[in-house]
Amino acid sequence: MVRRLVAGLAAIVLVAEAAVLVLVHIVLGRTTANQSMSIAGSDPDVMSKATYAMGAGMGAFLLLCAVLAVLAALRDRSPGRFGRVVLISAAVTHAVLGMLAVGLVGWAAFAALMLILCLLVLILTLYPAAARQGDGGGPVEDAPPPPPFGELKPTSP
């Protein structure tokens, strides 16, 4: 019950974040184009188009994360290997952006990014390891215990 709630809430928050980021990049791209801004002699048209492309890329990535969260909520299973890699990369990105946001934007932005980070980490950790897709569906077997510390084993016969 809690797993589905967390995954659904994370999906809603990720869609909202994607919409806000796309809107911010549209405003930044238009501002760059309207004021003919240039950094170190760069072409303003290239800069505005790159801003639009970055906004679209970030929005698509966050929507992919939201789709993975919805699938986890609907199936009540952990995402597969690809999904876990995507969600882990989103979590790491939010952690890094959170550290930068404290100094550049303020504590409110940090708190928002840490909330999203917590939701992503909860999606990754609330599901048991045996329910992961791509692992053969069976339980995860433990490795044999290491030999006792004082015991020596011969390396050759």
Side-chain angles (χ1 to χ4, degrees), residues 126-141:
L126 282 178
Y127 291 97
R132 257 188 269 149
Q133 298 171 353
D135 289 341
V140 177
E141 295 184 22

Side-chain angles (χ1 to χ4, degrees), residues 7 14 20 61 66 84 91-92 95-96 144 148 157:
L14 286 169
V20 167
F61 176 70
R84 292 181 71 80
V92 169
V96 171

Side-chain angles (χ1 to χ4, degrees), residues 67-134:
V67 166
L68 293 171
V70 166
L71 289 175
L74 291 176
R75 295 178 182 166
D76 200 23
R77 281 198 272 169
S78 177
R81 186 172 292 157
F82 172 75
R84 292 181 71 80
V85 168
V86 170
L87 291 176
I88 289 170
S89 65
V92 169
T93 302
H94 279 85
V96 171
L97 288 177
M99 289 185 292
L100 292 173
V102 172
L104 297 174
V105 182
W107 288 102
F110 173 78
L113 287 167
M114 291 303 108
L115 170 73
I116 298 168
L117 171 67
C118 289
L119 290 172
L120 290 169
V121 170
L122 280 173
I123 290 172
L124 293 166
T125 58
L126 282 178
Y127 291 97
R132 257 188 269 149
Q133 298 171 353

Side-chain angles (χ1 to χ4, degrees), residues 44-63:
D45 291 333
V46 172
M47 288 180 60
S48 65
K49 289 177 184 174
T51 304
Y52 293 143
M54 183 61 116
M58 289 173 67
F61 176 70
L62 290 172
L63 287 178

Side-chain angles (χ1 to χ4, degrees), residues 133-155:
Q133 298 171 353
D135 289 341
V140 177
E141 295 184 22
D142 293 331
F149 180 70
E151 181 178 329
L152 297 175
K153 290 193 171 195
T155 56

Side-chain angles (χ1 to χ4, degrees), residues 26-43:
I26 288 172
V27 169
L28 288 174
R30 285 189 181 163
T31 303
T32 303
N34 290 339
Q35 293 186 359
S36 295
M37 295 176 154
S38 176
I39 297 175
S42 306
D43 185 19

